[in-house]
Amino acid sequence: MTKLAPQYDPSAIETAIYRRWEDAGVFGADVRSEREPYVIVIPPPNVTAVLHSGHGLNNTLQDVLIRFERMRGREALWLPGTDHAGIATQNMVERALREDEGKTRQDLGREAFLERVWEHVNRTGGTILEQLRAIGCSCDWSRTRFTLDEKYSLAVRRVFVDLHEQGLIYRGQRVIHWCPRCRTSLSDEEAEFVDRDDHLYYIRYRLIDGEKGNGDSTNWVTVATTRPETMFGDVCLVYHPEDERFQEFHNATVEIPLSEVRRPIRTSTVVERDFGTGLLKVTPAHDANDFDIADSLGGFERPVTMDEDARMLDDPRVPEELRGLDRFEAREKILKLLDTAGQLERVDPYSHAVRQCYRCQTIVEPRLSDQWFVKMRPLAEPALKAYREGRLRFVPERWGKVYEHWLMQIRDWNISRQLWWGHRIPAWYCEQCDHITVTMDEPASCEGCGGTVRQDEDVLDTWFSSWLWPFATFAFSKSLGNGIDPLEVVERYGSDAFRFTIVAGAAAGTDMIMDRNDLDGTFAAGRNFANKLWNVGRLILANIGNGSAPDTIDPAHLELADRWILSRCQRTITAITDELQRFRLNDAANEIYHFVWDDLADWYIEQVKPRLYGSADGGDTARAVLRYVFEASLRLLHPIMPFITEQLWESLPGQRDALLAAASWPCASDPLEDEEAEHRFARVQSLVGAVRAVRAEYGVAPGKMVTARVQPASTDALEAFNAEQHTIERLAKIEALSMDGGETDGIGAHQVLPDGSTVFVPLGDAIDVAKECQRLTGELQRLEKQLAGVKSKLDNENFVNRAPGDVVEREREKERSWQEQREALAAKLRVLGC
């Protein structure tokens, strides 16, 4: 048996325990096993990332499930790996290159730059895997994968080619989300919506023909826009065909402000008549909706007026003084020019959602570009059908509706990225003709004309490779600054404290609140529980560690408390097993917490101390029960707190060479369930709790003994109180407990128990009655003044009618609360005869 240290020190045991698990091969899975498989493929974290609280929560929950199923006898495999993270990794290396050497990737060239990236990844890529080890993740590390592994890359190319051959991948010219900072296109999911306080600019377009009237007011039409810098790419203005305000302008011509370019006025049913003036400028190269409008009208060009850096192009359509300016600088200059020309009618505040790059938070620019796309509708339909038929389910279920909505609204996915780090698109362009060859391996020549070919410069969106993660890992296999660093928590309190806290607080479908400025408070639950478990373990092991506990429990010698804790243990096993199967991990954590802390530590251990230390009979039975319950508790708690449970398990007699990580999951024993024992012991608990409540309410000193007189509500209650009289007296600090009710006159407090039994605790000798009366009277007088003040305020009609509703309601809540407190104080004074 290993001797436990007086204080729990996680740093002294966790590394050694993890090494023992790895050396013993506990985490490895046998693909040829006949046991039922249970597999989790880790959502691969970015290779350049460090662990944050999101990783800690996500991976701890997975580890709980893997350990649970492994202990239940399934062939459990948790496959680890990392993602190459195209934009994030390239940005990181480019930044270092710029800051350290003053160079760009173009200065190095593609091959030399990729060598730099690989050097960086090889140097830092394993960091997060070591961090996952530090929080106890039981992955099969021998199977670690990377999304740029050679065999993984082969799978990515194979899928790209297959989808292309099926017509599901195509190259087309569409308006995409463009990040001028990262200089790459983004998918809908990578261009995140953010609310922005902006302006709506009302700009006058001069009518060229079909002018009406003689004054300036009728020689213009006004268009509202949030992006005046795009107007040089306008191809027409449109209004709703049923909008009577613009019927006379149909097929009229306008001149783009600050330009001599002329454009027609057309109609489109997609125009929102209530937005702006009801007249919409159509800029098909810089707005996805405008692209669709222009396409439906037909016959329009698609002029691009900004470059890849979102600067105004050197183009005849763009006024010379604006060329080369950043889009936002150009906007300010355009507004001044419009105002001078009398073409800026007005500017209104306007709040709307705009998209920004998920990596650098730059406002994205919609931009016409040739890109590769995946047709998503044919892929989404089978997934949608699987959900609607119940073959796919979500925990919690409400996320299913989010999934359904997403699939119903899905658009074609832009999968090409203007990066160098990633899976290069397996497409080759002919230098002599327009043919594109898509194939697994580099072709020697164009398959159409035999000409020379060059490979596409772009790489695939990281998620195009990541979505294959659950398949590619077996097809070929035998940043934010606002979160909590889990390793900081592990260093302070240990992995188990971190794991328990986040699991216990992670109710399905809800967010966790973690205060990085108060780690002590945030992780107090896990830290305190680990210390409690350690101290409970030391006490139990001190009594059974010498092998004095019998190997079996003799039912003939069980007392009420023994039967109660054994029954509670069976119910706990059943409940936790069910909760883990239903992915209610927080409920499982809280269930074992209350069983260990409340049932085992606060009640059973306190009850059996006289038997353990020789002042009462039944010591061997108590030790046998303690060993059984403690072993079961360690098994139940192991998936959540693997390190401390492994250390305590190792200290059990006969368990030195047997790892808890490889032990079986406990099964409930029907014969040990005892509803009668639970019911009877609950009476004992309620009586002790009632006396403790009286002591606390009336300020009885902690070391002061009291007397108590009980009137049992039934014979069963009387038997329960008699069986555990010494326990009741010891835990409630009662020097004399009478079971017949007796005389209950005089100064004292009554309590009614849930079963109808009553208890009277005399207080005359337990407290200084006169002093307590004085204290309570003072509290009551203070409360009366507060009540008078709030009542006066609520009786004032001006306050009630003019103050905000929530302010009035808060005052009424104060009144209700203080009235309840006044009644409670008055009742105490009556009890004490004040």
Side-chain angles (χ1 to χ4, degrees):
M1 183 189 81
T2 302
K3 185 176 181 181
L4 296 180
Q7 301 295 326
Y8 175 53
D9 180 9
S11 63
I13 68 169
E14 291 187 352
T15 301
I17 286 176
Y18 198 93
R19 190 179 299 116
R20 285 189 65 201
W21 289 334
E22 284 201 277
D23 291 345
V26 173
F27 307 153
D30 182 1
V31 296
R32 294 174 297 275
S33 173
E34 295 182 357
R35 295 192 296 178
E36 183 182 4
Y38 184 83
V39 180
I40 295 179
V41 182
I42 199 170
N46 288 355
V47 70
T48 58
V50 294
L51 205 64
H52 57 67
S53 52
H55 288 117
L57 171 60
N58 186 345
N59 290 287
T60 296
L61 298 182
Q62 293 174 67
D63 192 45
V64 170
L65 294 172
I66 279 289
R67 289 179 182 269
F68 168 58
E69 296 295 353
R70 187 182 290 127
M71 293 177 73
R72 292 216 298 166
R74 297 179 71 173
E75 194 64 46
L77 169 61
W78 189 12
L79 189 140
T82 51
D83 189 275
H84 66 278
I87 296 178
T89 305
Q90 179 157 318
N91 278 351
M92 189 174 294
V93 177
E94 284 194 271
R95 183 170 61 249
L97 187 65
R98 182 173 59 253
E99 294 174 354
D100 297 342
E101 303 178 34
K103 294 182 179 180
T104 67
R105 60 177 163 127
Q106 286 77 14
D107 293 330
L108 267 64
R110 187 172 192 133
E111 296 305 318
F113 177 75
L114 289 178
E115 288 180 8
R116 292 288 187 96
V117 181
W118 275 111
E119 289 174 5
H120 173 79
V121 169
N122 291 334
R123 185 171 61 252
T124 65
T127 300
I128 199 166
L129 299 182
E130 292 305 314
Q131 293 174 322
L132 291 173
R133 282 181 166 94
I135 63 170
C137 291
S138 58
C139 299
D140 186 346
W141 300 109
S142 68
R143 299 173 182 269
T144 302
R145 300 302 304 274
F146 179 43
T147 54
L148 279 181
D149 286 343
E150 183 179 352
K151 291 184 177 179
Y152 195 99
S153 296
L154 183 63
V156 173
R157 291 199 302 274
R158 177 76 270 166
V159 170
F160 184 96
V161 172
D162 287 347
L163 292 179
H164 182 265
E165 291 175 350
Q166 296 172 41
L168 293 173
I169 284 183
Y170 65 93
R171 183 168 175 81
Q173 192 178 64
R174 300 277 297 276
V175 174
I176 46 86
H177 308 297
W178 180 264
C179 176
R181 163 65 180 76
C182 299
R183 299 190 75 184
T184 184
S185 62
L186 303 171
S187 69
D188 288 350
E189 277 64 44
E190 292 169 322
E192 301 172 330
F193 278 114
V194 291
D195 292 330
R196 180 184 175 95
D197 291 330
D198 216 327
H199 296 89
L200 197 57
Y201 306 99
Y202 289 77
I203 301 173
R204 290 172 173 169
Y205 284 60
R206 189 168 68 89
L207 284 161
I208 300 302
D209 50 20
E211 295 175 314
K212 305 294 180 183
N214 298 317
D216 285 344
S217 62
T218 59
N219 289 335
W220 310 89
V221 289
T222 302
V223 178
T225 180
T226 59
R227 301 163 65 215
E229 65 276 10
T230 66
M231 65 186 180
F232 306 111
D234 290 354
V235 298
C236 65
L237 304 185
V238 294
Y239 63 91
H240 196 281
E242 297 177 2
D243 194 331
E244 296 295 334
R245 294 173 295 176
F246 303 108
Q247 296 296 327
E248 60 180 316
F249 300 125
H250 185 61
N251 287 331
T253 301
V254 295
E255 185 177 81
I256 295 178
L258 311 180
S259 167
E260 295 181 355
V261 176
R262 298 182 176 185
R263 298 300 188 202
I265 298 178
R266 297 284 188 266
T267 60
S268 173
T269 56
V270 303
V271 176
E272 296 179 19
R273 284 177 276 183
D274 295 334
F275 175 79
T277 63
L279 199 61
L280 179 72
K281 58 189 288 295
V282 178
T283 317
H286 292 279
D287 185 278
N289 293 326
D290 290 4
F291 179 92
D292 292 338
I293 293 173
D295 192 55
S296 68
L297 294 175
F300 288 111
E301 59 177 336
R302 299 164 180 170
V304 176
T305 57
M306 293 184 205
D307 64 15
E308 294 180 344
D309 296 317
R311 293 183 176 275
M312 305 303 292
L313 281 175
D314 185 1
D315 185 278
R317 300 179 185 85
V318 179
E320 187 173 356
E321 61 266 44
L322 299 176
R323 298 171 190 173
L325 292 182
D326 171 79
R327 54 185 168 163
F328 298 123
E329 293 175 336
R331 179 182 299 178
E332 294 304 315
K333 191 158 188 174
I334 288 170
L335 294 173
K336 291 178 182 178
L337 293 172
L338 288 172
D339 191 42
T340 301
Q343 289 183 266
L344 183 62
E345 185 173 292
R346 72 177 193 271
V347 179
D348 289 347
Y350 183 63
S351 296
H352 62 144
V354 298
R355 289 185 183 266
Q356 68 178 23
C357 175
Y358 81 118
R359 278 296 172 191
C360 67
Q361 285 72 58
T362 299
I363 299 299
V364 303
E365 184 64 33
R367 188 170 186 270
L368 186 65
S369 178
D370 288 311
Q371 302 286 338
W372 288 92
F373 295 88
V374 177
K375 291 181 181 178
M376 294 306 298
R377 180 61 60 188
L379 297 175
E381 288 173 353
L384 187 61
K385 182 179 179 183
Y387 168 71
R388 288 174 170 170
E389 291 178 351
R391 292 182 285 120
L392 173 67
R393 66 186 186 92
F394 286 80
V395 179
E397 292 182 0
R398 64 185 179 86
W399 287 108
K401 293 299 179 183
V402 176
Y403 176 75
E404 182 179 36
H405 177 76
W406 178 69
L407 289 180
M408 292 175 65
Q409 303 297 319
I410 204 163
R411 301 195 308 170
D412 285 358
W413 175 18
N414 167 22
I415 58 171
S416 45
R417 298 291 176 268
Q418 289 63 54
L419 305 171
W420 288 351
W421 174 246
H423 297 276
R424 195 166 176 180
I425 292 176
W428 284 263
Y429 302 95
C430 180
E431 301 283 7
Q432 280 73 44
C433 70
D434 295 331
H435 186 73
I436 302 176
T437 301
V438 175
T439 182
M440 290 284 293
D441 302 311
E442 182 176 358
S445 60
C446 174
E447 61 184 5
C449 72
T452 58
V453 295
R454 58 178 174 82
Q455 188 174 1
D456 196 308
E457 291 291 323
D458 293 349
V459 300
L460 290 164
D461 176 10
T462 298
W463 286 103
F464 186 86
S465 55
S466 296
W467 77 279
L468 300 176
W469 183 253
F471 314 105
T473 47
F474 294 102
F476 295 94
S477 173
K478 270 273 185 178
S479 88
L480 296 176
N482 63 348
I484 294 173
D485 182 352
L487 295 192
E488 181 181 354
V489 180
V490 170
E491 289 171 3
R492 288 195 191 187
Y493 317 116
S495 173
D496 290 320
F498 171 79
R499 291 169 62 106
F500 181 83
T501 300
I502 62 175
V503 173
T510 63
D511 295 327
M512 283 190 66
I513 304 300
M514 291 186 176
D515 187 353
R516 63 179 306 186
N517 298 315
D518 183 19
L519 294 182
D520 282 342
T522 298
F523 294 95
R527 178 198 61 209
N528 294 342
F529 186 43
N531 290 332
K532 182 73 170 182
L533 180 65
W534 187 261
N535 291 329
V536 166
R538 291 185 68 240
L539 185 148
I540 292 175
L541 291 168
N543 284 277
I544 69 173
N546 57 5
S548 60
D551 294 333
T552 59
I553 298 172
D554 185 354
H557 293 91
L558 293 177
E559 296 185 7
L560 173 60
D562 302 326
R563 292 162 50 209
W564 169 77
I565 193 66
L566 288 170
S567 185
R568 287 287 304 123
C569 185
Q570 309 316 305
R571 295 192 188 280
T572 302
I573 292 171
T574 300
I576 292 177
T577 302
D578 179 64
E579 285 152 1
L580 290 178
Q581 287 177 318
R582 293 189 296 129
F583 307 108
R584 302 183 67 89
L585 276 63
N586 66 304
D587 290 336
N590 286 295
E591 186 81 32
I592 188 61
Y593 172 92
H594 288 295
F595 177 73
V596 170
W597 195 304
D598 299 339
D599 294 349
L600 178 58
D602 288 356
W603 286 101
Y604 186 69
I605 288 179
E606 290 301 321
Q607 197 277 344
V608 300
K609 279 182 177 178
R611 289 193 274 166
L612 295 177
Y613 299 125
S615 60
D617 296 332
D620 285 347
T621 299
R623 292 184 183 90
V625 172
L626 270 178
R627 171 158 187 161
Y628 172 89
V629 172
F630 189 54
E631 284 191 11
S633 299
L634 294 180
R635 293 174 193 259
L636 292 170
L637 190 54
H638 179 74
I640 301 171
M641 302 178 76
F643 291 103
I644 189 172
T645 53
E646 189 72 74
Q647 183 67 30
L648 292 170
W649 179 269
E650 178 183 316
S651 302
L652 286 168
Q655 299 289 7
R656 179 66 184 90
D657 298 322
L659 289 170
L660 177 55
S664 61
W665 186 253
C667 295
S669 172
D670 291 342
L672 291 179
E673 288 189 15
D674 193 329
E675 187 173 349
E676 180 191 11
E678 291 189 56
H679 184 68
R680 292 182 67 182
F681 200 79
R683 297 178 188 274
V684 174
Q685 292 174 301
S686 64
L687 177 53
V688 172
V691 176
R692 285 175 173 173
V694 170
R695 295 176 64 96
E697 189 173 359
Y698 290 94
V700 179
K704 181 71 174 179
M705 302 298 287
V706 298
T707 60
R709 296 194 285 274
V710 179
Q711 182 64 57
S714 64
T715 302
D716 187 64
L718 176 61
E719 291 175 354
F721 297 149
N722 280 329
E724 295 296 331
Q725 179 169 347
H726 295 306
T727 299
I728 296 168
E729 291 175 339
R730 186 159 49 83
L731 297 183
K733 295 184 178 178
I734 299 172
E735 60 183 349
L737 178 64
S738 171
M739 297 291 181
D740 58 359
E743 184 60 44
T744 59
D745 292 337
I747 297 173
H750 287 87
Q751 289 278 348
V752 179
L753 308 186
D755 69 344
S757 300
T758 60
V759 59
F760 177 75
V761 181
L763 296 172
D765 297 330
I767 61 174
D768 185 330
V769 176
K771 185 176 181 180
E772 184 66 7
C773 284
Q774 183 179 7
R775 183 184 71 82
L776 293 175
T777 300
E779 284 191 25
L780 184 61
Q781 291 172 345
R782 175 183 58 81
L783 203 57
E784 292 285 4
K785 290 181 181 179
Q786 291 176 320
L787 269 170
V790 74
K791 189 175 187 303
S792 174
K793 186 179 291 187
L794 291 172
D795 287 343
N796 185 331
E797 291 187 5
N798 286 332
F799 169 75
V800 174
N801 294 331
R802 295 181 181 178
D806 59 331
V807 173
V808 175
E809 183 55 35
R810 281 198 298 270
E811 294 301 312
R812 286 177 174 153
E813 180 57 34
K814 286 181 186 178
E815 182 182 36
R816 287 191 291 267
S817 175
W818 288 344
Q819 284 176 340
E820 292 174 359
Q821 293 178 44
R822 180 179 63 180
E823 293 170 3
L825 284 173
K828 285 185 180 181
L829 287 168
R830 288 194 298 271
V831 166
L832 297 177
C834 300

